[in-house]
Amino acid sequence: AISSLTGEGLSDFVAVVEDALSDLLVPVELELPYSCGNEVNLIHEVGSIEVIDYREKGTYVMGRVPRSLAMKLDKYCVGNIERSEASSETEDEIDWAALGKGRHTKKEASY
């Protein structure tokens, strides 16, 4: 439970939401030409950057971005990150009600 008066439980809630949202991002390892500054800014805005390095050919970025952005930036991919592993992470359904109650397990698929 979260108290709006004292803020008790808010940090746990934020941690759960951050955890759930990070599962919606896929890992990328890119080398973007310096002419792609807008793309680097977009990665900062909608994803998370773990490593950034300014190299001779462009900006090296290792991080996590939404799948749609990863697909757009695929031509700049330089890493050996498993695409199939990344895609299976977000295919599982997220039980948002359980997340709100502090139980973050993914729903089991029923076939």
Side-chain angles (χ1 to χ4, degrees):
I2 300 172
S3 170
S4 61
L5 293 175
T6 66
E8 182 180 348
L10 189 58
S11 61
D12 292 336
F13 172 74
V14 170
V16 169
V17 170
E18 285 178 345
D19 188 39
L21 293 177
S22 72
D23 286 344
L24 300 175
L25 304 176
V26 296
V28 293
E29 189 172 355
L30 312 163
E31 189 166 75
L32 298 154
Y34 287 115
S35 62
C36 293
N38 289 337
E39 285 81 354
V40 175
N41 287 335
L42 187 58
I43 294 169
H44 277 288
E45 289 177 14
V46 301
S48 67
I49 294 180
E50 297 167 13
V51 176
I52 190 165
D53 187 31
Y54 301 98
R55 298 180 175 176
E56 185 177 326
K57 294 182 180 180
T59 305
Y60 170 81
V61 174
M62 185 171 74
R64 298 176 67 84
V65 298
R67 178 173 311 288
S68 59
L69 182 56
M71 291 170 59
K72 290 177 187 174
L73 299 174
D74 195 51
K75 62 185 168 189
Y76 303 113
C77 183
V78 294
N80 296 327
I81 294 174
E82 293 286 328
R83 293 288 182 213
S84 60
E85 179 183 314
S87 65
S88 67
E89 289 178 6
T90 57
E91 289 174 0
D92 297 334
E93 275 190 55
I94 295 174
D95 185 350
W96 293 103
L99 282 171
K101 295 175 183 170
R103 298 185 295 265
H104 32 144
T105 58
K106 294 180 181 174
K107 285 184 178 177
E108 295 294 324
S110 56
Y111 297 101

